[in-house]
């Protein structure tokens, strides 16, 4: 059938890929391809689990700012 890939063609393609990239490089390529596909899927669907983590805390949960006098230099001045 024209247009269909036979098992022999798949085997030949796998052999060529293995020879070109080597056995050490193939797992890295698979991981990066999977990670890219996951990132693409989350970008397309708009689902993001990190939405709550990136929000600023509400004003009631913020720590108060230090007194302005505490921010001044603490080095003693020389008085004669």
């Amino acid at each position: 059938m024209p247009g269909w890939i036979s098992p022999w063609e798949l085997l030949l393609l796998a052999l060529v890929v293995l020879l070109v990239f080597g056995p050490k490089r193939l797992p890295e390529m698979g991981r990066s391809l999977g990670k890219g596909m996951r990132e693409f899927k989350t970008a397309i669907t708009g689902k993001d689990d990190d939405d709550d983590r990136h929000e600023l805390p509400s004003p009631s949960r913020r720590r108060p700012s230090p007194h302005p006098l505490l921010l001044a230099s603490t080095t003693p001045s020389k008085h004669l």
Side-chain angles (χ1 to χ4, degrees):
M1 280 184 152
W4 292 97
I5 298 176
S6 71
W8 291 109
E9 291 170 337
L10 285 175
L11 184 64
L12 182 65
L13 180 66
L15 182 65
V16 169
V17 168
L18 183 63
L19 289 174
V20 170
F21 294 110
K24 288 186 177 182
R25 185 87 169 115
L26 284 179
E28 290 177 24
M29 291 174 55
R31 255 184 253 115
S32 64
L33 180 66
K35 184 179 178 184
M37 288 173 57
R38 269 179 286 178
E39 288 178 2
F40 180 74
K41 180 182 175 184
T42 56
I44 293 297
T45 58
K47 294 180 182 176
D48 194 11
D49 296 335
D50 298 334
D51 287 341
D52 295 333
R53 283 190 247 158
H54 295 298
E55 291 180 8
L56 293 175
S58 64
S60 62
R61 285 190 267 160
R62 285 192 200 157
R63 292 177 19 188
S65 60
H67 194 272
L69 293 178
L70 294 176
L71 295 176
S73 176
T74 57
T75 58
S77 60
K78 294 183 181 181
H79 294 285
L80 292 175

